[in-house]
Amino acid sequence: MTWYPWLSAPYRQLVSQYQSGRGHHALLMHAARGMGEEALVYGLSRWLLCQHQDGEKSCGTCRSCQLMIAGNHPDWHVLTPEKGKNSLGIDPVRQLIETLYNYSQQGGAKVVWLPEAELLTEAAANALLKTLEEPPVKTYFLIGCTEPASLLATLRSRCLYWHLATPEENLAAQWLSRQLSADPLAIKTALRLGNGTPLSAQALLQPERWKQRVALCQQLATSCQQRDMLSLLPQLNHDDVGERVQWLCSLLLDAIKWQQNAGQFIINHDQQNLISQIAHLQTNDALQKSVQGWMHCRQQLLTITGVNRELILTEQLLEWEQLLG
C-alpha cells in the first residue's frame, strides 16, 4: 500500500499512544476524502498485530506481518457493505461481533477497520454499541468518517475522536509537483478545489479530468461574453454534474471575493481573467443569488432520485441569465 509523507507524523503520534498504554480501543478517525487514511490505518493495524514490534515499526517478518502483507490476516477485519448495497446493515455487524468474541487466530490482537461509519444503518450502529463499550481483550476498532456529526451520538461517545489534518499547502504542492507535470497555479487551484487534500488534487490534475474543467471555464467565458448562459448546458450535463456545478460555484464565489478586494483568497488561481470577467458582469447581490441558486440546483441533482438533470440545469441557466439583467 502506498505511503504518503503527511501520514508519518500522525502515525508516530498514534503508535506512541498505544506504546504508552494510552491508546483507545475505539478510534474515530475524521479525515477528508483524498487524505489516504487507508494507508495510515493499514500501517497502524500492522503494528498492533505484529508479534515482534520494532519500536514504532512492525517487524515485517513475523507470521502476522506476512499475513498482513499477503492481505489475508484472519484477525484483521474490514467492515464494508455487502456487494451491491450502499449501506452497512446489521447482519455483517452481528457476524463480526460473534467472530471477535472467539480467540484470536494468531494469538495476538484483533483489529477492525470500518472505513465509512456513515454507511451504518441505525440498527447496525446500535448493534456495535455494546461491543464498543466493553470490547473483547486486545480488540481495536479503527473507524473512519468524513462527517462525524452524522453519526449516532451514542457511537461517537464510545470512541476517541481523532482528526487527520490536511497538510500545509506548500508541502502538498511540493509532493504533487513530484508526482506529475503541472503548472504551479494549476496545482494550487487543484488543492483548493480539493479542500487541501493531496490525493483529490492529484485525481483532478490527471490530464483528461483537468482538460474537462478547463473546457468548462472556456465555455463559461464565452457564455458570459455573449450573455447566453444556456450555451453552457453541454458542459454541465454529464454524469459528474455534481463536481462540475461545484467548479462553477467556486468561480462565482471567487468573483464575489474579487469584488470585495479579497483576491488573495480565491480558489481558482489559474482563472483570474475569468473571475474578473464574472465580477464585472453581475452586482454583488446578483452574484450571491446566483450562488444560492446553483447550490440549491446541485443539491436537487444529487439527492432527488430520477431527477430530470437536463431540465433542472436548463431552468437554472435561464434563471442565471435573467439575473445578468
Side-chain angles (χ1 to χ4, degrees):
M1 185 171 289
T2 304
W3 187 258
Y4 305 104
W6 57 88
L7 301 178
S8 295
Y11 173 82
R12 288 193 296 268
Q13 181 184 353
L14 287 171
V15 167
S16 176
Q17 291 179 4
Y18 287 102
Q19 284 178 317
S20 63
R22 295 180 292 110
H24 202 278
H25 69 272
L27 188 71
L28 181 62
M29 185 180 295
H30 176 199
R33 298 189 190 282
M35 282 296 291
E37 71 279 2
E38 300 89 351
L40 176 60
V41 169
Y42 174 79
L44 180 58
S45 299
R46 269 188 60 172
W47 187 87
L48 289 168
L49 292 165
C50 179
Q51 296 163 343
H52 304 291
Q53 293 157 348
D54 180 16
E56 295 177 344
K57 299 179 180 179
S58 50
C59 70
T61 56
C62 70
R63 178 64 176 162
S64 280
C65 283
Q66 291 299 308
L67 287 168
M68 282 294 285
I69 292 169
N72 55 8
H73 197 300
D75 296 319
W76 191 50
H77 307 277
V78 182
L79 194 54
T80 54
E82 297 172 292
K83 188 175 182 180
K85 296 186 177 180
N86 55 11
S87 63
L88 186 51
I90 193 170
D91 289 340
V93 171
R94 283 176 171 166
Q95 291 170 12
L96 171 67
I97 291 171
E98 186 178 340
T99 302
L100 294 176
Y101 279 96
N102 295 325
Y103 287 107
S104 163
Q105 293 194 38
Q106 290 299 307
K110 289 168 281 188
V111 179
V112 177
W113 167 225
L114 171 55
E116 295 181 84
E118 294 93 338
L119 298 183
L120 286 167
T121 63
E122 186 173 347
N126 283 322
L128 264 181
L129 294 181
K130 183 171 176 56
T131 307
L132 287 176
E133 189 168 6
E134 299 177 3
V137 178
K138 293 188 72 175
T139 299
Y140 302 95
F141 289 85
L142 306 177
I143 302 172
C145 68
T146 55
E147 298 178 12
S150 69
L151 305 179
L152 289 179
T154 46
L155 188 147
R156 296 199 308 269
S157 68
R158 287 163 171 76
C159 302
L160 174 68
Y161 173 83
W162 197 85
H163 180 237
L164 180 60
T166 54
E168 292 183 9
E169 188 173 83
N170 287 341
L171 295 176
Q174 289 173 16
W175 179 81
L176 282 165
S177 66
R178 292 193 295 268
Q179 306 305 310
L180 40 76
S181 177
D183 179 82
L185 281 181
I187 288 176
K188 189 173 186 177
T189 298
L191 275 169
R192 295 193 175 188
L193 284 169
N195 296 315
T197 58
L199 299 186
S200 294
Q202 184 183 31
L204 178 55
L205 285 166
Q206 296 305 308
E208 188 57 36
R209 192 68 183 141
W210 192 251
K211 182 180 176 182
Q212 292 167 358
R213 176 185 166 273
V214 170
L216 175 69
C217 293
Q218 291 173 341
Q219 181 57 56
L220 177 57
T222 301
S223 298
C224 287
Q225 187 177 12
Q226 298 174 354
R227 301 204 172 203
D228 176 17
M229 307 320 290
L230 199 57
S231 62
L232 197 59
L233 180 62
Q235 287 294 337
L236 293 172
N237 190 19
H238 287 262
D239 290 340
D240 59 350
V241 63
E243 186 173 19
R244 295 190 182 215
V245 172
Q246 187 176 354
W247 294 341
L248 179 58
C249 287
S250 74
L251 288 161
L252 295 176
L253 287 168
D254 280 347
I256 292 173
K257 297 171 191 174
W258 196 273
Q259 288 179 341
Q260 298 174 345
N261 297 317
Q264 68 270 32
F265 300 111
I266 65 172
I267 291 174
N268 300 274
H269 277 267
D270 65 331
Q271 296 293 332
Q272 295 190 36
N273 289 338
L274 174 58
I275 293 166
S276 176
Q277 182 183 358
I278 298 170
H280 287 91
L281 190 66
Q282 286 186 273
T283 65
N284 188 271
D285 183 59
L287 268 175
Q288 292 192 38
K289 288 180 180 177
S290 297
V291 171
Q292 291 171 1
W294 278 111
M295 290 178 72
H296 177 66
C297 173
R298 183 175 184 272
Q299 184 182 26
Q300 287 182 301
L301 291 167
L302 294 179
T303 59
I304 300 176
T305 304
V307 67
N308 186 324
R309 185 173 68 204
E310 184 173 354
L311 178 60
I312 293 288
L313 288 170
T314 299
E315 289 177 348
Q316 184 56 41
L317 286 166
L318 290 174
E319 284 183 23
W320 189 17
E321 197 170 294
Q322 287 179 349
L323 285 171
L324 297 179

